[in-house]
Every structure is written in C-alpha cells, then in structure tokens.
Amino acid sequence: MKLINTNHHAMGTLRLSAFLLLFCFSFQAKLVAQQQENQLAMIAHSTTDSVLLRWAPGSFQLWQQVRTKGLQLSRQTMMRDGKLLPLAERQQTTVIAQDLRPAPLAAFETAGATDDFVAIGGQAIYGESFLPQTDDADEVSLGALFNGATDQENRFSFGLYAADQSWQAATLLGLGYTDTNVRDNETYIYTLRGATGDLTNLDTKYSAFVTVKAGSNVLKTKISSLEAEFEDKVGVLSWDVEVARDFYTSYFIELSADGVSWERVNEEPFVPVFKENQRPIAFYQVPLPENNRPYFMRVIGRTPFAQDAPPSNVVQGMGKDPLPETAPSIAGAFPNEEGGFDISWTFPNDIPVNNFRVFRADNAVGIFEPLSDLLPGDARNFRDEAPMRVNYYQIAVYDQYNRELRSFVIMAQPNDTTPPETPVNLRGIITDDGKVILNWDANTEEDLLGYRIWLANTPQEEFKLATSTPLVNDYYIGETTLNTLTSSLYAKITALDIRHNPSPFTEYIEILRPDTIAPAAPLLKEVTSTTEHLDLYFATSRTPDIEQHELFRRPAGDTVWQLIRTLPFPDEKEADHYRDTDLAPGLTHEYRLDAIDRSGLRASSDVLQGKVIDDFIRQQVKKVKATPDRREHTILLDWTYAPEDDKFLHFEIFRNVPGKNPDIIALHQPPTAPSSGKKAAYQFTDPGPLKMDTDYEYRVRAVYSDGGLSRLSPAVSVNY
C-alpha cells in the first residue's frame, strides 16, 4: 500500500509533542481516558450560524468499527425560544449525515501538502507502518521513542491528536462535522449510531450524544493565572489548567519585546503532561534572546475544534545573569584586645556585587541572625564587639539582583574556665520493666556541652558513671535490675561546658524500685441470662495492696475489651454481683474481671460467656393513619418506625372488616434500606378491591431476617 506523502517537517518537528500523546492527548484525555473503552465521547461548539461537533472513540477497536461501518449523525429539536417543544415534535429525528467515515487517501494527500496535521491523520489511517522516520539531524528519534509501542496505539493516539489540532484533519478523519442548517433560537440533541450496522457494545447510555443551543457563540475562557519566573536567558511560565483543560487541548506561547508585536515560541501546540494525583500546573520554558532586557509573554489555549482562545494575562520580566560561581571565603575570626573578634573574608574584585552581610549563630545548624547591617560591596572585614561564648559566623554576598550566596561557617570562642551551674530539680522513676528515667531543669549556658549521670544502689557506696558520653538532653533513660533485695536506686548528675569544665554534683536522690509481683486473680463465678439482662456473680481478690477491680466485656470473637465497671478500694471488698443491661438479644458476650494493685500490677479472672435470651419479639409499629381516596379507589396508610437492627426486611399489611380476622394483603418493601435505630416515615396504598360505604381495619407488622416479628400495630378503622 502506498504511504501518504507526509513531509519530514510534519513528522520531525512533532517528535516530542507526539511522544507525549501516548500519555496525555488533550481531547482524548478529557473525554476518553476517563471513560469505558466502548464509549464514543462527543462534544459540541455553537457559533452564530452553525454547530461544530467532535467525537472520539474510547479504544482502537471502537475506532476500527467507526471506520469500517461509518457513522450516522442525526438531530432532534428539543427547545425553541427557550421553551420545551411537545413530545411528538421532540421525538422527530432528522438524519443530517448518512455515512460519516474517513476520507479517501487522495483527499489526505492533497490537503496534507499544506496542513501537517492532515498528513499525520492520513498516515495514521493509510500508512503501512506508523513508525515515523527521522534523520540524524533530529534531536529526538521517534523510531527510538516508540520502539516499545504497538502500531495500533500509535495510529490511534496520533489520529486523535491530529483531529484536536486541525478542524480539517478532524473532518477528513470522520471525527468532526459542521451543521450549518441550524436556527439560533433552538436547542438540539445530536446522536451518533452505526451507518451500515450497529457498533458492537457501543455504550449509548453515557456516550454517543450531545446537547447544544444553537447561536450561543459562547466566548472561550481565557487563561488568567499565568505567572513567570526569570533565570539566565529563560522565562519559566506556569499556569493552572484545572479549569482550562475543560476547554483546551493544547497551548501556544507567544513572546514580545514591546508588548505590541507578538511571535509564537512553539511551532507545534504544547500539550502538558501530569503524573497521577499531581496538581495540574503547566510549565513551559521560554528562551530569551538576552538578559537584563524586559520581555512580555502570554499563553493562548487551543480548543478541540482547532480554535484559538483569547490571549491570557501578560507577564513581564527580564532574564538574569547567573549567580556568582564563588561564595565569600572567611579568612578567619581573630580575637582583639577589647574581647571581640575581627572577621575577615575574601571575594573576587571583578564580580559585580551590591552588598555583604555578616550572620552569627550559637551552633552550626542553628538559626543564623544578621550581626551587621548591609556592608558595601568593597568591604572585606567586620568587628564583632560583643561575641557570645560560642560563635558561628557566616558571610552573605548579594549580587546585582539582590540574590544571596553564603560562605561556609567558621566557629570562634573566647577563653573560658568558668564551669556551668549545678543542675537543679533532679527527679526520677523506675518503671515496671526496669527502665530508669531521670529528668531535671535544663541549664541555660550558651556553651553547655551536656550532662553526666552517676548511679549507686546505696548512698554509702561509690557512684558509678552511667553515661559514656555527655547527654545533650535534659533527661536520661537507662536500665536497672528488678531482681534484687535492694528497694531503691540513688542518682546524681553534673553538667559540662564545651571546654569540659564540670559543675558541682547535685545532691543525690532516692528512686524506689517497683513492685513486680502481681495480685491474686479474682474469681468470676457465674453468668445467668434473662430476656432483659445478664447477671454476673464474682469474688474479688483478697491481696492486701489491691487498688481497684475492673470489669470488662466484649462481643464473642472480638479482640477489644470494653471497661464497663470500676470497683475502687474499699468498696470492691463488698461487691459480688453486677447486672448488665441494654444488650442486644441473642448476641454472645464475654466477661473478665481484673484486680489491680497499687503498683499497677494486674491479674485477670477466667473468661465467662453469656447472652440475653432472644424472644424474637421486635418493636411494634405504634400508630397507623388511614386516609380513603374515593376518586382513585384506594386507601393510603401512613406510619413511622425505627428498625431495631439491620436485619429488618419488610412490613406485612393486614386488612379486615370489623369482626373478621385480619388477613395479609401485601408485603411492603421500603424503597431504600432504613437505618438501624433511626425513625422514618413510610406509606402504602391499598389498591383494593374495595367496596363503597364499607368499614375496614388495617394493621402493620415489621418482619426481620432472623425470624423476629413485631406485634401487630393497633387497628385503625376507616370508612371507604
């Protein structure tokens, strides 16, 4: 088969934009990528005298059917002058295109000579292989980029992309149509169906149709959120396409030196690409001819109908020379006779700068605060007249654009033989697992290095160092043995500065080791059941240091216990019974009783089970209202009801004449499942047969899936 004569420019200049199509190709991304493969997405645009229609199949397979069987385009008129037409007129269908399908090869060859996108569309349909050729001069080889893609995917992607960028390509591909026989006061529904046979599995419920009002000629929304940042001979544009992508498939970027005459930066439309869950912000780098000269930039959106939108807001700026390649280098910080430091630095004299500034912090990773005002560009030294105990210095240089570049950090400190203050408020505990936790009020010296900990089992023995390196925090966590007759541990600490000058020791403190023997377990004797509640009988623990007992409950098979009662000392010694109410009938629960001593040690009883007896009698419908409708020959019943649980099924409707036994006349299923425990209103219409001037009695009963039934509601009488 002869390939369509696509010139090198048509394929080569689209090498990068075309590659992006496999991931996001505009109109398809909006109307196809989010839908099923068997949908035929359709949109419309109204002008003053016509309606433009575009559609896109959701898969290559559906595209093959459209090309093979063709499409029939029909129209129905729904409204005129803002008013809905009668049903008979709305149902009248006019076929405005009998058989829409791609144009012959010759049409693509002729139009493709002047329209690159027509050439690409023709290649997608008629080319023997859709791996576009490039030569060595191309920056990116399409053959390499699409090495792993299938020929079908290439044809499908490029065909839809070409239709997005050229209305002529869309109509020749059989993906677009212009309806000129319209009236500006009417609203239409357009429908697509197979021309020579049904399209297999076509989803006609959610696709293959569109509604449009003729003559509206709605102005396209322009992009108003354009922003720009400027660097070395480049302007980086950014704009939010969250709303814009509902209107535009691609974008053109324009540059101007005077804000009046504009030139397009990109020859081919720009299609932004986003990762999943990424905020849809488009970025585009605009090369600038030179730095330090103002330029203007704007963006123009392009619709799926190959129409350009009004230009965006204009942004203005200048390219900036690169940041200096070298930062200031601090030569040193030297102590002077007045007790301060003289700081000096070096910086190349041939680099134009505005200012220098000296910064200082009390640690290398701390917050550096300005120490000096802005210094002139020829400054190379500064005196710190009031240094801290520890000083970290940094020099910042500011270029002609006031951009900042900082030096490495240098430390300087004066001579110091004064130790820190003795730490205060030392306190501590030993946990049940043998953890020793100490804390104290932190020292405030700027040159503090840390703390050291000493421990002993008695105050008379030698205290041993417990920390191999100074602690930087005001707490200590260590371990000690609990398997000892010694009931206490003793601790004291000292503080060190960065020159390792130690403070005096604190007074030692005594820390009690915890009790590790659990109390005797309580006894849960028996659980008895009624239809209303469960009775639990138990005997509490008699260990002397009991603090309280706790009773727990959980549904059988669950893993989470719920505390339902606390028995504090000494009341717990007299307690032997607990009644558990407000439980769902038929649901098995497990119970456990714990004893807790003053040290927090806990002992648990055996677990017993019980459940409230289920009599399967459910809550009654309280009141039913009956209203006759003699015109419709019906009786309307109204009532409210709150189901006890989610096993509710339906209502049974009973009817009888006075003196007779009630009979079930209907099973009423609510249209929506009612919420458990939430009262809702219900209705039922008795269609009869009913006799005039006859008294009837009605009753309602709720039915549950587990066999539960409510009692019949009180009878309501009505004369029909």
Side-chain angles (χ1 to χ4, degrees):
M1 176 184 294
K2 177 183 178 183
L3 291 177
I4 186 168
N5 184 23
T6 56
N7 56 50
H8 173 75
H9 175 73
M11 302 303 292
T13 57
L14 288 177
R15 50 190 175 273
L16 183 55
S17 296
F19 174 69
L20 298 177
L21 300 178
L22 289 178
F23 305 97
C24 173
F25 40 89
S26 56
F27 174 44
Q28 188 188 21
K30 177 193 171 198
L31 296 176
V32 178
Q34 298 177 353
Q35 61 189 5
Q36 301 296 325
E37 294 181 354
N38 294 326
Q39 290 186 351
L40 189 60
M42 192 174 181
I43 60 174
H45 174 67
S46 175
T47 66
T48 55
D49 58 358
S50 63
V51 172
L52 305 180
L53 301 165
R54 276 290 319 278
W55 52 89
S59 64
F60 176 79
Q61 290 72 23
L62 182 57
W63 190 36
Q64 281 186 311
Q65 291 193 67
V66 168
R67 291 160 48 191
T68 303
K69 300 179 181 179
L71 290 173
Q72 182 187 83
L73 178 63
S74 58
R75 184 184 71 199
Q76 295 171 266
T77 305
M78 307 305 293
M79 300 178 68
R80 184 175 296 117
D81 295 325
K83 297 180 181 180
L84 190 67
L85 297 178
L87 178 61
E89 189 172 351
R90 296 199 308 270
Q91 291 179 337
Q92 294 178 4
T93 301
T94 302
V95 177
I96 60 175
Q98 184 64 46
D99 191 354
L100 294 171
R101 63 182 70 210
L105 174 62
F108 281 95
E109 290 179 326
T110 300
T114 57
D115 189 331
D116 291 342
F117 295 106
V118 171
I120 294 173
Q123 181 79 2
I125 295 179
Y126 296 108
E128 293 184 359
S129 174
F130 202 74
L131 289 176
Q133 298 178 353
T134 60
D135 58 27
D136 295 338
D138 285 326
E139 298 177 4
V140 181
S141 170
L142 279 177
L145 291 176
F146 287 97
N147 189 38
T150 65
D151 187 66
Q152 290 181 354
E153 291 171 341
N154 289 341
R155 293 176 186 275
F156 184 48
S157 301
F158 274 94
L160 291 180
Y161 175 71
D164 274 354
Q165 308 308 322
S166 166
W167 182 249
Q168 186 179 23
T171 56
L172 290 175
L173 286 165
L175 299 177
Y177 184 82
T178 302
D179 185 7
T180 57
N181 187 23
V182 297
R183 297 179 180 178
D184 60 6
N185 64 336
E186 293 182 339
T187 299
Y188 306 107
I189 291 181
Y190 291 90
T191 305
L192 288 171
R193 294 294 184 267
T196 59
D198 293 337
L199 301 179
T200 305
N201 296 325
L202 175 63
D203 181 358
T204 58
K205 183 177 181 181
Y206 296 105
S207 72
F209 66 89
V210 69
T211 302
V212 62
K213 181 182 183 305
S216 59
N217 195 27
V218 177
L219 293 176
K220 295 177 283 294
T221 302
K222 71 176 184 179
I223 299 165
S224 59
S225 59
L226 184 65
E227 297 179 357
E229 294 184 3
F230 293 88
E231 299 175 3
D232 183 20
K233 292 185 179 180
V234 66
V236 181
L237 296 180
S238 63
W239 64 96
D240 192 336
V241 298
E242 180 68 39
V243 176
R245 62 182 175 182
D246 289 339
F247 301 95
Y248 309 123
T249 60
S250 57
Y251 303 88
F252 284 108
I253 289 80
E254 294 188 339
L255 179 68
S256 173
D258 55 10
V260 178
S261 301
W262 296 87
E263 294 184 1
R264 287 199 168 173
V265 176
N266 53 323
E267 295 183 7
E268 306 302 336
F270 167 60
V271 181
V273 178
F274 309 102
K275 296 181 180 179
E276 187 177 359
N277 300 323
Q278 180 185 5
R279 183 184 176 190
I281 300 295
F283 293 92
Y284 192 93
Q285 287 192 350
V286 180
L288 303 178
E290 58 183 288
N291 288 333
N292 304 314
R293 176 182 176 181
Y295 289 96
F296 303 85
M297 288 173 283
R298 65 186 186 184
V299 174
I300 297 176
R302 190 169 179 83
T303 72
F305 301 93
Q307 298 172 326
D308 290 347
S312 70
N313 60 295
V314 177
V315 293
Q316 178 186 5
M318 298 186 300
K320 301 177 181 179
D321 293 334
L323 196 67
E325 296 181 357
T326 181
S329 176
I330 301 179
F334 307 99
N336 54 45
E337 296 178 355
E338 288 78 17
F341 283 102
D342 292 324
I343 308 159
S344 62
W345 62 91
T346 61
F347 189 80
N349 294 324
D350 57 346
I351 297 179
V353 297
N354 287 344
N355 303 101
F356 290 93
R357 174 169 273 172
V358 181
F359 289 83
R360 185 180 68 183
D362 57 5
N363 63 83
V365 294
I367 298 176
F368 282 77
E369 301 289 349
L371 180 61
S372 72
D373 295 331
L374 288 175
L375 304 175
D378 59 353
R380 295 296 185 270
N381 56 75
F382 176 79
R383 172 168 290 189
D384 182 3
E385 298 179 348
M388 302 181 293
R389 291 188 178 183
V390 180
N391 305 272
Y392 291 87
Y393 296 107
Q394 193 175 45
I395 310 299
V397 63
Y398 301 91
D399 69 1
Q400 57 185 322
Y401 309 105
N402 211 34
R403 294 177 297 184
E404 182 182 84
L405 187 63
R406 295 202 181 193
S407 69
F408 289 111
V409 174
I410 186 174
M411 186 192 77
Q413 59 182 11
N415 293 329
D416 180 17
T417 59
T418 304
E421 295 291 332
T422 302
V424 297
N425 200 17
L426 177 62
R427 53 209 181 268
I429 61 170
I430 299 177
T431 62
D432 294 343
D433 58 354
K435 291 286 191 304
V436 179
I437 302 176
L438 301 175
N439 66 312
W440 53 90
D441 294 351
N443 284 40
T444 58
E445 291 85 358
E446 294 179 354
D447 62 342
L448 184 71
L449 176 64
Y451 307 89
R452 287 194 180 275
I453 314 298
W454 276 263
L455 301 175
N457 284 322
T458 67
Q460 293 78 26
E461 70 177 50
E462 181 181 358
F463 281 75
K464 296 181 179 179
L465 183 63
T467 52
S468 59
T469 58
L471 297 177
V472 296
N473 298 313
D474 57 352
Y475 62 86
Y476 164 77
I477 300 177
E479 293 185 356
T480 187
T481 180
L482 300 180
N483 188 22
T484 178
L485 297 177
T486 304
S487 61
S488 299
L489 185 69
Y490 297 86
K492 59 183 180 180
I493 67 172
T494 185
L496 300 173
D497 64 15
I498 59 175
R499 295 180 179 268
H500 287 264
N501 297 313
S503 73
F505 281 106
T506 63
E507 296 292 334
Y508 65 78
I509 62 169
E510 180 183 9
I511 314 170
L512 295 178
R513 285 186 168 92
D515 178 11
T516 59
I517 301 176
L523 176 63
L524 196 56
K525 298 179 180 179
E526 182 183 11
V527 180
T528 61
S529 305
T530 70
T531 59
E532 301 291 336
H533 54 258
L534 295 177
D535 287 306
L536 287 77
Y537 299 92
F538 53 84
T540 58
S541 173
R542 295 309 180 196
T543 300
D545 64 343
I546 289 296
E547 184 73 22
Q548 66 184 28
H549 283 74
E550 294 177 345
L551 182 62
F552 293 89
R553 178 187 66 204
R554 69 181 179 187
D558 203 342
T559 59
V560 179
W561 289 97
Q562 177 188 2
L563 176 64
I564 61 174
R565 187 180 181 189
T566 299
L567 305 171
F569 178 86
D571 297 342
E572 49 87 17
K573 291 187 177 297
E574 305 301 326
D576 62 358
H577 170 258
Y578 176 75
R579 174 165 291 177
D580 198 5
T581 59
D582 197 23
L583 297 173
L587 179 62
T588 301
H589 287 83
E590 297 179 338
Y591 294 87
R592 186 191 87 205
L593 183 63
D594 285 6
I596 302 98
D597 66 14
R598 293 187 182 92
S599 298
L601 298 178
R602 180 183 298 266
S604 301
S605 70
D606 292 336
V607 176
L608 293 185
Q609 292 184 341
K611 62 181 176 181
V612 174
I613 299 172
D614 191 355
D615 57 7
F616 292 96
I617 298 176
R618 302 293 183 256
Q619 182 176 349
Q620 182 185 33
V621 178
K622 299 298 184 181
K623 184 178 180 181
V624 180
K625 179 182 177 182
T627 304
D629 188 340
R630 297 177 180 86
R631 182 185 299 272
E632 298 294 332
H633 305 293
T634 62
I635 294 177
L636 176 65
L637 303 181
D638 294 272
W639 67 94
T640 60
Y641 187 67
E644 290 189 11
D645 52 48
D646 57 6
K647 295 183 177 60
F648 171 78
L649 281 180
H650 54 257
F651 295 101
E652 295 178 340
I653 312 300
F654 291 79
R655 184 184 69 198
N656 64 285
V657 297
K660 299 294 184 179
N661 292 328
D663 294 323
I664 297 176
I665 63 170
L667 300 180
H668 179 57
Q669 179 75 44
T672 59
S675 301
S676 176
K678 188 174 182 180
K679 183 177 289 187
Y682 303 93
Q683 286 187 339
F684 172 76
T685 300
D686 181 6
L690 302 169
K691 295 181 179 180
M692 297 294 292
D693 197 23
T694 302
D695 291 332
Y696 292 98
E697 292 181 346
Y698 289 91
R699 296 172 175 85
V700 178
R701 180 167 67 186
V703 180
Y704 291 74
S705 61
D706 60 357
L709 297 172
S710 72
R711 292 185 174 88
L712 291 177
S713 67
V716 57
S717 298
V718 61
N719 180 268
Y720 176 70

